Amino acid sequence: MVERSKVVDLRTRTTYRPDCANLARNRLLLARKGLGLSYGEFADLITPMVGWPVSPDAVEAWETSLVPPGDVLIAVSTVTPAASDRLGVRSHKFIAAYIGEAMAARLAEQAAPAGQDHHALPVELPAGTCRLHVWPYGVAILHLVEDLDLPNIAHLAVWRYQSYEHNLDWATTYLRRLTGDDTSAASYVLSLYWVHGPTWVGQMLDTAARIICSPRVLIDRDQPGGDACLAAAEQAERELLAGGFHQQEMRSFGVAGVSVGYASWSGVAYHPLDPARCLAEDELVDCELTAQAIWAYCEHINGQVEQGHDPHVSEEYGWRFLRAARSRLTNPRPRETGQHRLMRDAIVETSGIAGHLDQAIEALREAGRQ
C-alpha cells in the first residue's frame, strides 16, 4: 500500500554527507563477523598483513569508536568473504481482493483449513510459490513467496516497483478465471521481507533494514524504469546508508541482540540476529495475513460508502464482527510473547487499520439504523 504523499523524495531532503568513519568501522566489523572470528583471532589474522602488531583492544575500538587505519582497511578488503557481497531476501507479497461471501464459501470447499478462521489452496506458478487464502467474509489474499539473491537494496527496490503492476494484473486475471466474475480485481500488494543474508552489521544493518522496509524511497519518480532508474537508486542507497535514513511513521519491533525489525505503510522488513530467540518467519506471515484480510474487508465496506452507497454485508459479518476483529488485532493475548506483541502493534499502527476499522464499523451501524 503505497500512497504518493507518503513517498520520500530525495530531492526534497538536504544533501547527505557520507559518514566515512562509520563506513570504515562497518567494513571492519562485517569482515570479522563474516569470518566468525573473535577480536583476538582477527587481530592475529591481520597483524602479518599490515606488518605491525594489532591488539584485540584496537580491533574493538576500530569497530566502535575510532577510525581504522588505511592499511588495516586494505587488509580487511582481502579477507572479506565473497558471500557477503550478496543480499539474500525472501519476499512475501500479499495481494488482496474482495470476492464476496458466496464465492469465498465455494472456494473454501476446495481448500484446506489454514488456521482457525480461513482456508487456503495452492496456486501453480512457474517461479516462486503461492497460496490462495480465503476468508468467509469474502476476502481472498494471494500469498506469493519469492527467494531473491541481489547485489544491493537498489535492485530490490527496482524489482519491487516494476513487479507490482504485473502482480496486480496477474492476480486479477487469475481471480476472474477462478471465480467467473469479471468484476473481481486485486486492489493492492503489500510486501514483507525476511532478510536472511544481509551485507551489513551494526548500525548500518539497522539503516539498511529501514530502507528495505520502505524501498520506494530509492526510486526516482521521473525515471521509474531502465538503467537510469537503477543507477539513481544505487546512488540513493549509498547516500542513505552513509548518512542515515529515518522515517517518522516507521516503527521498530526488533529486540537488541535478537532481531532487527521494522514496519511501515509500505510493508515489513525483518532480520533474525539470533534464530533461536527471534520470531519465526511464519509468525510474521500469519500476522500480516490476519491484518490484511481485515484491511481488505474494511476497504470493501468503506469503498461502498465513498461511492455513495449504503454498505451491504451479511449480519454475521456486520459491525459486531468488526468490533471483535478490532479487539483481536489491538489487544494483547494472555500467552502472547513480548516480541509478538511488539510486531503486532507495529504492523497494526503503521497499516492504519484501526482508523479503517472504526470507519467501517460506523458505516455499518449507521446503515443498520436506517
Side-chain angles (χ1 to χ4, degrees), residues 135 137 141 188 285-297 329 344 347-348 351 353:
W135 282 261
Y137 43 87
I141 292 181
Y188 66 86
V285 169
D286 290 344
C287 184
E288 275 294 5
L289 282 170
T290 300
Q292 295 310 314
I294 293 297
W295 206 100
Y297 185 48
L329 282 170
R344 179 177 47 77
I347 289 175
V348 168
S351 69
I353 195 172

Side-chain angles (χ1 to χ4, degrees), residues 85-131:
D85 292 336
R86 304 294 293 185
L87 170 62
V89 175
R90 186 151 42 249
S91 165
H92 295 267
K93 290 176 179 174
F94 304 92
I95 311 171
Y98 182 82
I99 60 174
E101 294 178 31
M103 181 53 62
R106 283 177 51 192
L107 292 177
E109 294 175 356
Q110 311 168 30
Q116 298 180 344
D117 62 344
H118 74 287
H119 291 72
L121 62 157
V123 177
E124 292 187 6
L125 287 178
T129 60
C130 187
R131 296 183 79 198

Side-chain angles (χ1 to χ4, degrees), residues 31-177:
R32 184 179 64 80
K33 290 285 189 179
L35 292 168
L37 302 179
S38 66
Y39 293 124
E41 292 169 334
F42 193 74
D44 291 340
L45 175 66
I46 63 175
T47 288
M49 302 176 70
V50 298
W52 48 274
V54 176
S55 70
D57 290 342
V59 174
E60 183 177 8
W62 291 332
E63 291 183 4
T64 56
S65 57
L66 302 181
V67 180
D71 52 352
V72 169
L73 289 177
I74 296 297
V76 164
S77 67
T78 67
V79 299
T80 302
S84 67
D85 292 336
R86 304 294 293 185
L87 170 62
V89 175
R90 186 151 42 249
S91 165
H92 295 267
K93 290 176 179 174
F94 304 92
I95 311 171
Y98 182 82
I99 60 174
E101 294 178 31
M103 181 53 62
R106 283 177 51 192
L107 292 177
E109 294 175 356
Q110 311 168 30
Q116 298 180 344
D117 62 344
H118 74 287
H119 291 72
L121 62 157
V123 177
E124 292 187 6
L125 287 178
T129 60
C130 187
R131 296 183 79 198
L132 175 65
H133 295 257
V134 181
W135 282 261
Y137 43 87
V139 168
I141 292 181
L142 286 156
H143 173 210
L144 176 60
V145 184
E146 298 164 286
D147 284 299
L148 307 172
D149 179 53
L150 304 163
N152 51 38
I153 307 174
H155 278 76
L156 174 66
V158 173
W159 171 81
R160 172 187 181 270
Y161 181 82
Q162 295 177 345
S163 67
Y164 266 28
E165 286 302 321
H166 170 75
N167 292 150
L168 287 171
D169 291 342
W170 165 78
T172 295
T173 300
Y174 173 82
L175 290 171
R176 289 180 178 179
R177 185 180 299 124

Side-chain angles (χ1 to χ4, degrees), residues 142-320:
L142 286 156
H143 173 210
L144 176 60
V145 184
E146 298 164 286
D147 284 299
L148 307 172
D149 179 53
L150 304 163
N152 51 38
I153 307 174
H155 278 76
L156 174 66
V158 173
W159 171 81
R160 172 187 181 270
Y161 181 82
Q162 295 177 345
S163 67
Y164 266 28
E165 286 302 321
H166 170 75
N167 292 150
L168 287 171
D169 291 342
W170 165 78
T172 295
T173 300
Y174 173 82
L175 290 171
R176 289 180 178 179
R177 185 180 299 124
L178 183 68
T179 63
D181 181 3
D182 289 340
T183 65
S184 295
S187 57
Y188 66 86
V189 183
L190 182 127
S191 288
L192 182 160
Y193 300 110
W194 179 269
V195 184
H196 55 80
T199 61
W200 320 268
V201 289
Q203 184 58 44
M204 194 164 289
L205 172 59
D206 194 74
T207 300
R210 289 196 293 269
I211 300 172
I212 293 171
C213 184
S214 186
R216 181 65 174 84
V217 70
L218 301 181
I219 303 298
D220 189 332
R221 297 185 189 133
D222 295 334
Q223 45 184 18
D227 294 341
C229 174
L230 179 58
E234 289 180 327
Q235 177 62 27
E237 177 185 350
R238 288 190 292 268
E239 292 178 347
L240 290 179
L241 284 174
F245 173 58
H246 300 276
Q247 197 173 57
Q248 185 176 2
E249 297 176 347
M250 194 174 289
R251 293 292 177 268
S252 169
F253 62 93
V255 176
V258 176
S259 62
V260 178
Y262 284 95
S264 73
W265 175 259
S266 299
V268 173
Y270 190 81
H271 171 60
L273 294 170
D274 186 344
R277 294 187 293 153
C278 70
L279 291 167
E281 190 170 358
D282 286 346
E283 290 183 90
L284 279 85
V285 169
D286 290 344
C287 184
E288 275 294 5
L289 282 170
T290 300
Q292 295 310 314
I294 293 297
W295 206 100
Y297 185 48
C298 291
E299 181 190 37
H300 167 68
I301 294 169
N302 294 331
Q304 293 181 68
V305 174
E306 292 172 5
Q307 294 171 15
H309 308 303
D310 289 333
H312 293 287
V313 298
S314 67
E315 184 176 352
E316 183 179 2
Y317 300 112
W319 68 267
R320 291 181 177 83

